[in-house]
Amino acid sequence: MNKYVLLSFLIIAMNLFAKKKSVFVPIQYPNTEKIPHEDVYFGTTIIDNYQWLEDDNAPATKAWVEAENKVTTQYLESIPYRNQLKERYKEMYNYTKLSSPQKVGNYFFFSKQEGLKNQATIYIQNGLNATPEVFIDPEKEDPNGLTTFELSGASSNNQYIAIVVHKAGSDWSNIIVYDIATKKPLNDKLEWVKFSDAAWYKNGFFYSRYPKPEAGKELSAANENHSVYYHQLGDSQDNDVLVHKDDNPLLFHSLEVTEDEQYLILYKSSGTNGFETYYKKTTEEGWNFKPLFTGFDNKSRVIDVQNGKFIVFTDIDAPKYRLISVDPNNNNPKSWKDIIAESKTGLLEKVVIANGKYYAQYLENASNQLYSFDLDGKNKQAIALPTIGTTELFASKKTDKTIFYSFTSFIYPKSIFTINTSTGYSDLFFKPELTFNPNDYEVKQEWYKSHDGTKVSMFIVHKKGLALNKKNPTYLYAYGGFNISMTPGFSSSRFLLLENGGVFAMPNLRGGGEYGEEWHQAGMLMKKQTVFDDFIAAAEYLIKNRYTSSQYLGIAGGSNGGLLVGACMTQRPELFKVAFPAVGVMDMLKYHQFTIGWGWVPEYGSSEQSKEMFEYLKGYSPYHNLKPNTKYPATLVTTADHDDRVVPAHSFKFAAQLQACNDNVATKKYTPNPVLIRIGVNAGHGAGKPTSKIIEEQVDIWSFFFWNVGIKSLKPIID
C-alpha cells in the first residue's frame, strides 16, 4: 500500500477563522488498489474492485485500515471544538446506570455501571433492602475494559448462576458458572457459544453453540450447524451431550425449560423472521421432539404450562399478536382458545406471569403501555407510566410478589420500577441523577405521508421554544427492518445536539415492528424500497415544515439502519448534507456469505435465489450504486474490527468506492464532501463497548456532524 500525504487542516482552519475564502484541496485518501474480481449472477457479471478487502486478516487489508484510520483521526482532531464536545459529553455521561434486579432464591442480582467506568459491575444482595456486594468486577478481570459479563440463568436450587462473557464486542461468548454463596467461578467454561443463554435442568444446563471455527476466520467465516448441547456441572465441554443438530446447517436453535421442569421447548429458526416450535416431556427418554408449530412464517413462543396446556404467545392469525391456550394432545387450530385476544389498536409485545396474573406490554402508536389481566384474560387494568416512552417487562417466576420493569423516554433516563402484584401499584425503584436538565426539551409525535400515501409516525425532539427557521442542525435517525420497533429512548450523547439548537427526529418506518407484522412485511424482501421511500419522505417533511434544510440535515442508522443510510444517500444524494452509515449491510449481493448473514435471507432475499431477486437487490445495494461525478453527502462510515455480525468488509468496500467517486470528480465543478471511515479497534457491532470507546466515537460523530453542516464554533454550556 502506498503512503499518503494528509491535507493541512490547520491552514484551512486559520483561513476560515480569518474569514478568508478557502481554496479547496481534496483530502489525500489512501491509494486503495483496484483488483477486479468477477462474480456471475444469472448470466450477469458483476465486477468487484475491492473484493480483496473482505479478507480482514490479510496484511494489505490491515495496512489499509491503519492508513484510513490515520486520515480520519487527523481530520477529526483538527476540528477546533472536538475537545470541548468531549469534556461536555464526559460530564453528561457521568451518571449511574442500573439494570433490573434478577431474583435467585432470596438473592437479587443486578449490574451497575457507575460514572465513567468502562463496564458494568455485577452486584448481589440478600433481599431488596440489604447492602449490595460486588459479585464480579469486570475491571479486575480485564483492566483494559474490553470484557463484558452478563447474567444468565440460575440453577433451580439457587446454588449456581451462569455468566455469559464477551470479549472486544464479538458475538462469540463463553459461559462460566459461579457458585453464588462463595462468589467464585467453577472450572466449567464453555466456548464457541453464540446467541445462547443457559437453560438449567437438574445438575446442568442446555445451551447452543457452533463448531470451533477455522483459525483466522473466527470473525468472518459463515457460521453453520448451530446445535443444542447439555452440560453437566463438573464435566469437560468435550463430554457435553448433543441434544439437537439439524440436517440443515443454516438454522438457529435455542432450548428452554418450562418453569415446572415438565417440558423442554425447542425453537428452530431459518433466520430473523419466523421460527418453529417443538416440545418433549422431560420424563421421556432420548431427544425426540414433537412439533407444536411448524413453518417459518410465524412466531409462537410457549410462556407457561397450565393444567397440561401450553400458554402460547403467537402471531398466527394475529399480526398484532395474541395469547392462546393450546392442548398439545389436540393441536388443532380450531381447539385453540384465546386468553388475550389480538387488539385492534395496540401491538401485544410481551407477557409475563406473576402471582396469579398476566402482565402485558403493548405498543400503541410506537409508545408502550402496561396492563394486568387475570389468568382468564379478564379484568384488564392499566399500570400508570410517567409519560410516553418505552418499557421492558422483565421475566419473573409465577410465585413472585414483586416484578420489575424499566422505563425510558427521549427526555427520561432509563429507570427501574416495581409492581406489587398483590396491590397492583407501581413504584419507582431507581432513577439516575443527571448533571443536566432534560426538561428543557420537548418531544412531539407527528405524522407524515410517504410517497404512496401511507401515514408514518415520527418523533421529533428539540429545545422548548426552538425557532423553525430551516437552519437547525437536524439528525434524522431510523432503522426500518427485522420487525424491530424504534421507540422513545434516552441517549446522553443526543443532548450534545439538542443543547446546541439541534433537532433529533426518529420516524417509524415500514419494515419495523411498531404497528404489527403487516407493517413489518410492508418493508421486507421485494418491498424494501418502501423503507427507503419512508425515510426520504421523513426528510422532506422536516424540510417542508421548516425544521431544517438540506444544508443542515444529517442522516444516521446502524446495521440494517446503515443499509438504510447507504441506500438513501445513493438514491437522493442532494437531499442530505451529512451521512453516518454505521456497521451497515452495504453489499447486498454477498452479505449472506459471511458469519450469520444467511440468517437475514428471510428479510432481504438472496442474490442467488432468483434472477428477479438478484436484480432487485442490485438495484438498491449501496456498494453497487455509487457513481462517479456525484456530490454525495459528507460521510463518516463507522465499523469495528471485531464486528462478526455485519463484517467490516461491507464498510471497507463502501468507503473505498465512495472515496474513489470523490477522486473522480473530473471537472472540479463542485467541492466533494469528505468521505472518512472510522474503524474501531477491539470493538464489535456495538454491544459491550467500553465507556472510553463510546465517548470517543460519539464525540467524533458529533464533531463531524457540526463541522460539516457549517457550524464553526459552539457556545460554551453554562449550567
Side-chain angles (χ1 to χ4, degrees):
M1 301 295 289
N2 294 330
K3 292 187 176 181
Y4 54 87
V5 179
L6 182 68
L7 169 69
S8 174
F9 291 102
L10 179 59
I11 295 174
I12 289 182
M14 289 172 64
N15 285 339
L16 286 170
F17 287 115
K19 297 184 179 180
K20 295 179 181 178
K21 185 177 180 181
S22 61
V23 178
F24 169 72
V25 180
I27 299 171
Q28 187 67 42
Y29 299 112
N31 182 18
T32 307
E33 187 176 5
K34 293 183 179 180
I35 305 175
H37 171 86
E38 294 185 358
D39 292 299
V40 180
Y41 301 88
F42 302 97
T44 299
T45 299
I46 300 295
I47 304 297
D48 187 348
N49 288 321
Y50 302 112
Q51 184 265 351
W52 62 271
L53 285 170
E54 293 174 6
D55 186 353
D56 56 321
N57 284 314
T61 304
K62 291 183 177 181
W64 181 87
V65 167
E66 183 179 355
E68 290 284 353
N69 267 345
K70 186 175 181 181
V71 172
T72 299
T73 298
Q74 290 179 326
Y75 177 96
L76 294 169
E77 289 183 349
S78 74
I79 297 174
Y81 42 71
R82 184 185 181 278
N83 286 336
Q84 177 187 343
L85 283 172
K86 183 176 181 179
E87 292 307 310
R88 178 58 177 161
Y89 185 39
K90 286 168 68 175
E91 292 176 2
M92 301 172 90
Y93 195 84
N94 190 7
Y95 66 92
T96 299
K97 301 129 187 115
L98 193 75
S99 75
S100 173
Q102 176 178 329
K103 191 172 186 294
V104 180
N106 293 324
Y107 290 103
F108 288 88
F109 287 86
F110 61 91
S111 62
K112 184 178 183 180
Q113 190 165 13
E114 296 170 286
L116 299 178
K117 288 189 68 173
N118 270 322
Q119 300 289 351
T121 300
I122 295 179
Y123 286 87
I124 183 174
Q125 62 188 67
N126 191 357
L128 275 181
N129 297 318
T131 301
E133 299 177 17
V134 173
F135 192 78
I136 300 176
D137 184 348
E139 292 194 352
K140 287 186 177 180
E141 303 293 333
D142 177 7
N144 294 320
L146 300 176
T147 305
T148 61
F149 296 82
E150 300 173 359
L151 296 163
S152 187
S155 59
S156 56
N157 63 5
N158 303 318
Q159 187 175 351
Y160 305 105
I161 189 165
I163 303 293
V164 178
V165 183
H166 292 269
K167 292 183 180 294
S170 170
D171 280 338
W172 289 116
S173 63
N174 296 332
I175 296 179
I176 300 175
V177 179
Y178 277 73
D179 183 289
I180 293 175
T182 66
K183 306 184 185 67
K184 300 293 184 183
L186 307 183
N187 291 327
D188 303 68
K189 180 181 178 181
L190 310 183
E191 299 180 320
W192 305 115
V193 178
K194 256 191 187 184
F195 315 120
S196 178
D197 282 320
W200 287 82
Y201 179 68
K202 294 186 175 179
N203 194 38
F205 54 86
F206 299 94
Y207 70 102
S208 303
R209 68 175 172 91
Y210 285 104
K212 183 178 180 179
E214 178 185 347
K217 299 291 184 181
E218 295 91 343
L219 301 178
S220 59
N223 299 145
E224 298 182 352
N225 295 305
H226 196 234
S227 304
V228 180
Y229 288 82
Y230 179 76
H231 175 74
Q232 178 105 353
L233 284 186
D235 280 359
S236 164
Q237 187 175 15
D238 294 336
N239 296 328
D240 287 354
V241 177
L242 177 62
V243 173
H244 184 81
K245 178 181 178 181
D246 208 277
D247 292 335
N248 182 353
L250 302 182
L251 290 177
F252 298 108
H253 297 90
S254 64
L255 189 144
E256 297 176 353
V257 183
T258 57
E259 189 174 331
D260 61 10
E261 297 192 340
Q262 297 300 305
Y263 290 92
L264 304 180
I265 309 297
L266 174 69
Y267 299 101
K268 297 184 183 184
S269 171
S270 63
T272 51
N273 194 22
F275 51 84
E276 297 185 323
T277 308
Y278 296 80
Y279 70 99
K280 74 173 290 293
K281 289 186 176 181
T282 54
T283 54
E284 296 173 345
E285 295 293 328
W287 305 110
N288 296 314
F289 289 83
K290 300 176 183 178
L292 189 65
F293 304 99
T294 56
F296 300 112
D297 293 332
N298 294 100
K299 310 171 187 69
S300 301
R301 184 169 295 279
V302 176
I303 68 165
D304 194 27
V305 182
Q306 297 177 12
N307 301 318
K309 295 182 180 180
F310 292 136
I311 307 303
V312 179
F313 179 79
T314 183
D315 67 346
I316 296 177
D317 297 326
K320 289 186 172 64
Y321 292 84
R322 58 178 173 154
L323 193 70
I324 62 174
S325 173
V326 177
D327 185 345
N329 298 313
N330 181 26
N331 188 16
N332 185 322
K334 293 182 179 179
S335 69
W336 300 347
K337 294 183 179 179
D338 275 359
I339 300 174
I340 301 177
E342 180 187 23
S343 169
K344 294 181 180 180
T345 56
L347 169 70
L348 180 61
E349 283 193 318
K350 188 175 185 179
V351 179
V352 301
I353 308 172
N355 198 20
K357 287 185 178 294
Y358 293 117
Y359 291 86
Q361 177 175 297
Y362 280 86
L363 193 62
E364 300 174 359
N365 286 332
S367 181
N368 283 129
Q369 301 294 332
L370 296 181
Y371 300 94
S372 65
F373 295 83
D374 291 342
L375 291 184
D376 59 4
K378 298 179 180 178
N379 191 27
K380 180 180 180 182
Q381 300 290 326
I383 297 169
L385 300 176
T387 182
I388 63 168
T390 302
T391 62
E392 183 181 0
L393 273 171
F394 294 102
S396 61
K397 291 190 175 181
K398 292 194 290 185
T399 55
D400 285 349
K401 299 293 192 299
T402 300
I403 61 175
F404 295 88
Y405 69 92
S406 66
F407 179 85
T408 183
S409 188
F410 293 112
I411 57 175
Y412 196 103
K414 183 179 177 180
S415 304
I416 308 299
F417 289 79
T418 61
I419 299 175
N420 184 318
T421 59
S422 298
T423 65
Y425 290 128
S426 176
D427 291 305
L428 179 65
F429 179 76
F430 169 82
K431 184 178 181 180
E433 295 182 3
L434 304 176
T435 59
F436 58 99
N437 185 10
N439 293 323
D440 292 340
Y441 307 92
E442 63 177 302
V443 179
K444 297 181 284 188
Q445 187 177 32
E446 299 186 6
W447 295 78
Y448 65 93
K449 285 186 178 181
S450 191
H451 294 303
D452 62 358
T454 300
K455 288 186 176 181
V456 181
S457 59
M458 177 162 55
F459 292 102
I460 301 174
V461 191
H462 56 71
K463 268 186 180 179
K464 293 177 180 177
L466 183 75
L468 301 185
N469 57 13
K470 305 195 74 171
K471 294 182 179 180
N472 301 306
T474 298
Y475 192 83
L476 179 61
Y477 176 85
Y479 189 80
F482 293 93
N483 201 34
I484 292 174
S485 300
M486 302 302 291
T487 57
F490 190 81
S491 166
S492 53
S493 80
R494 205 175 287 149
F495 286 88
L496 293 175
L497 168 72
L498 299 176
E499 70 181 11
N500 282 289
V503 176
F504 176 79
M506 188 178 77
N508 304 116
L509 312 179
R510 280 173 283 187
E514 294 89 347
Y515 298 100
E517 186 58 31
E518 291 173 338
W519 192 255
H520 170 216
Q521 292 182 12
M524 58 188 291
L525 297 172
M526 295 191 75
K527 297 178 181 177
K528 189 65 179 178
Q529 182 59 42
T530 302
V531 184
F532 312 142
D533 291 342
D534 286 356
F535 195 58
I536 290 168
E540 293 171 336
Y541 176 88
L542 292 168
I543 293 170
K544 180 181 178 181
N545 287 273
R546 302 182 62 82
Y547 285 101
T548 192
S549 63
S550 292
Q551 175 61 35
Y552 297 95
L553 179 58
I555 55 173
S559 196
N560 173 75
L563 162 64
L564 170 71
V565 171
C568 290
M569 65 180 281
T570 56
Q571 293 180 16
R572 291 290 303 277
E574 83 292 345
L575 189 58
F576 318 108
K577 180 59 180 174
V578 188
F580 295 99
V583 293
V585 189
M586 299 308 206
D587 184 342
M588 294 306 297
L589 301 185
K590 298 176 73 174
Y591 75 86
H592 58 288
Q593 298 178 11
F594 304 104
T595 59
I596 59 157
W598 52 263
W600 313 330
V601 172
E603 181 80 12
Y604 295 141
S606 163
S607 60
E608 298 175 359
Q609 69 187 72
S610 70
K611 181 176 176 59
E612 184 182 26
M613 183 57 75
F614 156 69
E615 294 287 355
Y616 190 81
L617 291 170
K618 181 169 71 73
Y620 73 78
S621 177
Y623 176 55
H624 298 94
N625 283 278
L626 291 168
K627 299 177 178 62
N629 301 318
T630 303
K631 189 173 183 179
Y632 289 105
T635 303
L636 179 60
V637 180
T638 53
T639 186
D641 62 355
H642 277 63
D643 189 345
D644 49 355
R645 192 172 308 177
V646 180
V647 294
H650 285 278
S651 296
F652 292 175
K653 297 200 302 181
F654 182 77
Q657 179 73 351
L658 187 53
Q659 287 176 352
C661 289
N662 262 14
D663 278 348
N664 255 341
V665 181
T667 63
K668 296 294 188 292
K669 289 183 178 179
Y670 62 83
T671 301
N673 289 308
V675 174
L676 303 174
I677 180 168
R678 186 188 189 281
I679 305 153
V681 178
N682 288 321
H685 197 62
K689 191 172 293 183
T691 295
S692 57
K693 289 184 180 292
I694 292 173
I695 290 172
E696 291 292 335
E697 183 177 52
Q698 290 301 311
V699 167
D700 285 346
I701 287 170
W702 291 116
S703 298
F704 187 88
F705 174 73
F706 285 130
W707 189 253
N708 282 285
V709 297
I711 296 177
K712 301 310 175 186
S713 64
L714 299 177
K715 294 179 180 179
I717 302 301
I718 301 175
D719 292 326

